[in-house]
Amino acid sequence: MERDFEVRALGKEARRLDVADNGLCFGRLDSVDGRASYIGRIGLFEQDDEYEPLLLDWRAPAARPFYTATGARPEGMRRRRQFHTRGRRVLEFTDEVLGRPEGGERGDAALLAAVNAPRGEGMRDIVATIQAEQDEIIRLDHPGVVVIEGGPGTGKTVVALHRVAYLLYTQRERMERHGVLVVGPNPAFLNHISRVLPSLGESDVVFMTPGGLVPGLRVTAEDAPEAARIKGSLKMVDVLKAAVADRQRLPEEPVLIDLADVTVRIDAATAEWARDEARQSGLPHNEARAVFLDVVTYVLTERAIARIGRGWLTRDDRDGWERLRADLVKELAADEGFAAAVDGMWPVLTPESLLARLYESEERLRAAGADLALRRADGAAWTVSDVPLLDELVDLLGRDKSAEQAAAERERGKQVEFAAGVLDQLVGRQDSMDDEDHLYATDLLHAEDLAERFVEQDTRELVERAAADRDWTYRHVVVDEAQELSAMDWRVLMRRCPGRSFTVVGDLAQRRSPAGARSWDAVLEPYVPGRWAYRSLTVNYRTPAEIMAVAAGVLAEFSPETQAPESVRACGVAPWSRQVSDEEVAAAVEEFVREEAGREGTSVVIGPPDVPGAVPASETKGLEFDAVLVVDPDRILADGPRGAAELYVALTRATQRLGVLHRDPLPASLTGLVAR
């Protein structure tokens, strides 16, 4: 096992070095006193007694002037050099002389080259081009929650990921054993951002969607807006508690239990006493069942002993009384009728079974004080809004310890079988040896002992262990598109991070969920009062000015109080629109796809479900493409405020080219498009 752990650790380090090798060194700083420092993705040191740095990790304090020094504020630096590389080849470099007041702010040649470059399959890190306002957030020393808000293209997601890399660098010992959780809106988004942290040498990060926060579930279906709003409300906590209490029932008629020597009965008074004791124990439902069972068993055995021992057994004969009780307890435990009666009054419940039965019954919904809009057909699939309710029920119901014990025994049996096979192989090898006077492996170790040692050492990687464990707690959590999360979603996330260390990324203007956030204060104050900091990003690095002008018109229509981010560049290509008939839509989409296939970069078609090859705007949140074609904007807008937010998202995905196909006249808010 020591060998396995060492191999795993070395393999992890090798992967880190392999990934960092691409663009390993991207800059150099020359100080006014003549010292030169090279800046890179990771730190490298001379392997000698001095242990001098060959390459400064971009997160090191000494590397910060690379991002923050300007002509007017050189921070002790004379020159900043940026390398442009491919693999290990330096293609070119640019120099920026510092210390000249007329130099103003930091030069943007490298930044413009990066934002103008064609997009690939995933998000790229910005380690070589971090801007001063971004660097301030990345290195912000705040122990609680940091909210990063910004409009489309402001780089809030990539800043949050670089902040995670910085925290892992500065707080390695505290964070590494528990890891970091990154929550994003959908699998496509997580795939898009998944390369950023590994490219910065960090791998102890778990990526999940809100629909995957409960192990074993990968939910993507969404509720209708009204059902989503209801399920996302904190009122559902009381509904779920009431639904659990509703399953803790009293018998309408006494339940008779026929034992060998006596018939006993469970009446409502007995069950009520047992129920009160179980509830007052403070244990979750499934664990409190033991209390309920103990009280009922005590009452029944007391009554049975009194009847069986009438005339010959008194309480003074304590030993006799307890021996008879022990016999009766065993008899009750083996009695199927008694087990069925207890199950009817205090059943073992799973989150899935309780919630499904609640949704399927108007009677149970009424009893729990739930809105009847939650009624759904039997066997309906889970939705993303159900996941926080299922997670809440894990705590309300607790564990079914008997089922867990049975599962543990099955797993142990598998390990013993595997260990026995290993020992058999060792014995076979020893039998083939010439030396007759040797010890066999089985002389020193039995299969059960070997299995026990194996179980004690969980050899899975941190990411695998964390993703499979509902009770795993993280040292830091990143929440992207946080404006979409409901109050119930936030309860799940707060349970996952008791230390309340979060980076929250969002844009309230892009909220589409009726259960989502309307203010950060309302979301965070209940959990971290006075312990959250707000930072905003105002520069749009993704969307060119020509396209942002079009999107700004839509933004002004549905969120006039929100200022659109200012684009850092223009692309020189005017966004266009084209009116088509129903019969022409498919051909126009094909034409766009064909044209873009001949260009470098990525493209997407966004539109309603019946548009061939189109994806909904909600699936493109957080993504970026060189070219975007938006189809039927009026139909997207028809979904009210939610639709306006979706159209705004659709228009701001493009980094170079934007086209709009429409069958009906363009909405009044869409201006600045050149007709084709």
Side-chain angles (χ1 to χ4, degrees):
M1 286 185 178
E2 288 177 358
R3 179 204 63 193
D4 289 347
F5 278 119
E6 185 175 358
V7 167
R8 193 169 288 111
L10 290 172
K12 181 178 178 180
E13 178 66 7
R15 290 192 298 272
R16 187 177 80 97
L17 294 171
D18 283 342
V19 171
D21 190 45
N22 183 24
L24 174 63
C25 176
F26 53 79
R28 168 176 155 170
L29 274 174
D30 294 346
S31 67
V32 293
D33 58 9
R35 289 182 296 107
S37 301
Y38 288 90
I39 317 297
R41 295 175 176 277
I42 59 174
L44 296 176
F45 298 87
E46 289 274 13
Q47 297 299 311
D48 56 23
D49 294 339
E50 299 296 327
Y51 211 59
E52 287 294 319
L54 286 171
L55 188 66
L56 275 178
D57 191 299
W58 66 275
R59 297 165 286 192
R64 186 167 191 178
F66 184 78
Y67 301 108
T68 58
T70 65
R73 291 168 298 180
E75 301 187 28
M77 298 298 150
R78 180 175 59 84
R79 178 174 59 185
R80 173 172 42 227
R81 173 171 290 177
Q82 291 183 290
F83 299 106
H84 305 276
T85 61
R86 180 174 295 131
R88 296 193 176 195
R89 283 185 56 228
V90 176
L91 303 180
E92 61 178 345
F93 63 85
T94 56
D95 278 349
E96 188 177 354
V97 178
L98 305 171
R100 297 176 179 174
E102 67 274 11
E105 294 301 314
R106 178 181 171 183
D108 57 4
L111 172 65
L112 290 176
V115 297
N116 279 314
R119 265 45 185 178
E121 291 303 314
M123 178 180 282
R124 297 171 296 194
D125 64 68
I126 59 169
V127 65
T129 58
I130 294 171
Q131 301 300 291
E133 70 166 357
Q134 298 171 330
D135 185 78
E136 187 270 332
I137 297 173
I138 290 169
R139 299 176 193 263
L140 183 63
D141 183 16
H142 185 80
V145 177
V146 174
V147 176
I148 307 174
E149 184 164 27
T154 53
K156 52 189 180 293
T157 296
V158 75
V159 167
L161 295 175
H162 284 67
R163 175 169 169 76
V164 168
Y166 177 76
L167 292 174
L168 284 167
Y169 177 80
T170 57
Q171 304 177 31
R172 180 77 60 189
E173 186 174 343
R174 186 182 76 86
M175 296 182 66
E176 196 167 40
R177 291 185 61 186
H178 286 257
V180 173
L181 173 64
V182 176
V183 179
N186 54 58
F189 174 84
L190 294 182
N191 182 62
H192 179 66
I193 69 172
S194 63
R195 299 171 180 84
V196 174
L197 284 166
S199 75
L200 300 174
E202 302 298 346
S203 58
D204 291 330
V205 180
V206 177
F207 293 90
M208 287 186 181
T209 65
L213 286 170
V214 174
L217 291 179
R218 292 294 181 271
V219 181
T220 58
E222 292 190 4
D223 277 301
E226 180 61 11
R229 183 190 64 78
I230 295 169
K231 291 179 181 181
S233 167
L234 289 179
K235 294 178 182 178
M236 287 301 299
V237 175
D238 292 332
V239 168
L240 295 176
K241 288 178 179 178
V244 173
D246 184 54
R247 302 298 293 273
Q248 301 163 355
R249 298 196 166 185
L250 307 179
E252 295 181 2
E253 299 291 337
V255 179
L256 301 181
I257 308 296
D258 294 320
L259 302 178
D261 299 319
V262 68
T263 296
V264 292
R265 67 177 191 168
I266 308 173
D267 52 30
T270 298
E272 185 174 21
W273 178 27
R275 185 179 67 178
D276 290 345
E277 291 291 323
R279 288 178 176 176
Q280 290 170 18
S281 72
L283 295 171
H285 171 87
N286 289 332
E287 296 170 31
R289 174 186 162 103
V291 178
F292 180 86
L293 182 61
D294 285 348
V295 173
V296 173
T297 300
Y298 172 80
V299 172
L300 296 189
T301 55
E302 281 288 301
R303 291 173 178 172
I305 293 170
R307 292 173 60 186
I308 295 172
R310 183 177 298 157
W312 61 271
L313 181 64
T314 68
R315 286 190 179 275
D316 293 336
D317 183 1
R318 183 171 300 176
D319 290 342
W321 194 282
E322 291 305 322
R323 281 197 301 272
L324 183 53
R325 183 195 301 282
D327 292 339
L328 288 168
V329 167
K330 289 180 181 178
E331 193 174 354
L332 281 172
D335 190 272
E336 293 182 0
F338 179 67
V342 172
D343 285 342
M345 292 179 285
W346 199 286
V348 173
L349 299 171
T350 65
E352 292 83 0
S353 66
L354 185 139
L355 195 59
R357 299 297 175 269
L358 176 66
Y359 288 157
E360 292 164 5
S361 168
E362 288 191 8
E363 178 186 351
R364 284 186 171 140
L365 286 170
R366 287 193 183 94
D371 195 305
L372 295 183
L374 298 183
R375 174 79 169 86
R376 71 179 195 184
D378 297 356
W382 297 119
T383 66
V384 174
S385 301
D386 290 326
V387 172
L389 309 185
L390 293 168
D391 190 75
E392 189 79 27
L393 284 169
V394 172
D395 283 350
L396 291 176
L397 297 178
R399 310 297 189 187
D400 178 5
K401 293 190 175 179
S402 61
E404 288 185 352
Q405 185 175 0
E409 288 298 323
R410 288 194 299 271
E411 181 61 26
R412 176 172 170 75
K414 293 178 183 178
Q415 297 300 341
V416 170
E417 183 179 353
F418 174 75
V422 171
L423 292 176
D424 286 344
Q425 289 184 9
L426 290 174
V427 170
R429 291 176 185 173
Q430 289 170 322
D431 284 339
S432 66
M433 294 165 55
D434 294 334
D435 185 2
E436 297 180 0
D437 189 21
H438 61 261
L439 284 171
Y440 279 93
T442 49
D443 293 334
L444 302 174
L445 191 64
H446 295 288
E448 290 81 1
D449 300 322
L450 182 58
E452 191 68 32
R453 295 184 185 184
F454 181 79
V455 170
E456 288 174 0
Q457 301 291 335
D458 192 337
T459 57
R460 294 174 298 172
E461 297 284 356
L462 180 145
V463 169
E464 186 181 0
R465 286 185 285 126
D469 185 354
R470 184 263 174 186
D471 295 324
W472 188 278
T473 57
Y474 298 88
R475 285 292 183 264
H476 191 76
V477 176
V478 176
V479 188
D480 209 316
E481 299 294 343
Q483 74 278 355
E484 305 298 346
L485 268 59
S486 70
M488 290 300 296
D489 289 321
W490 282 105
R491 284 177 65 86
V492 179
L493 294 176
M494 292 297 169
R495 280 193 284 268
R496 300 297 190 271
C497 187
R500 305 291 194 259
S501 177
F502 281 74
T503 299
V504 175
V505 182
D507 179 10
L508 295 177
Q510 294 187 56
R511 180 182 62 83
R512 61 183 290 274
S513 170
R518 286 170 168 78
S519 79
W520 302 120
D521 184 82
V523 167
L524 298 173
E525 276 297 313
Y527 299 105
V528 283
R531 282 190 57 223
W532 63 281
Y534 177 87
R535 296 291 185 273
S536 64
L537 293 169
T538 58
V539 178
N540 190 330
Y541 299 99
R542 177 179 68 217
T543 316
E546 297 91 338
I547 296 175
M548 200 61 221
V550 176
V554 175
L555 178 65
E557 188 78 16
F558 77 94
S559 184
E561 72 282 358
T562 303
Q563 180 68 38
E566 183 179 353
S567 297
V568 75
R569 67 187 175 98
C571 65
V573 179
W576 55 269
S577 66
R578 175 180 166 192
Q579 188 163 13
V580 293
S581 65
D582 291 346
E583 295 76 18
E584 295 172 327
V585 171
V589 170
E590 288 179 9
E591 180 184 347
F592 169 82
V593 172
R594 190 167 53 251
E595 287 180 357
E596 292 302 326
R599 294 187 171 117
E600 189 178 3
T602 59
S603 62
V604 69
V605 178
I606 301 175
D610 61 342
V611 175
V615 299
S618 59
E619 292 186 11
T620 66
K621 297 199 79 168
L623 307 183
E624 57 185 21
F625 306 87
D626 290 271
V628 172
L629 180 66
V630 178
V631 184
D632 289 338
D634 54 309
R635 291 175 60 193
I636 299 175
L637 274 176
D639 201 10
R642 169 171 162 165
E646 292 219 334
L647 181 57
Y648 181 58
V649 168
L651 295 171
T652 54
R653 299 307 94 193
T655 66
Q656 301 291 344
R657 299 174 295 280
L658 171 68
V660 176
L661 289 181
H662 58 105
R663 285 177 261 203
D664 295 323
L666 282 173
S669 60
L670 268 184
T671 60
L673 296 168
V674 176
R676 275 194 178 182

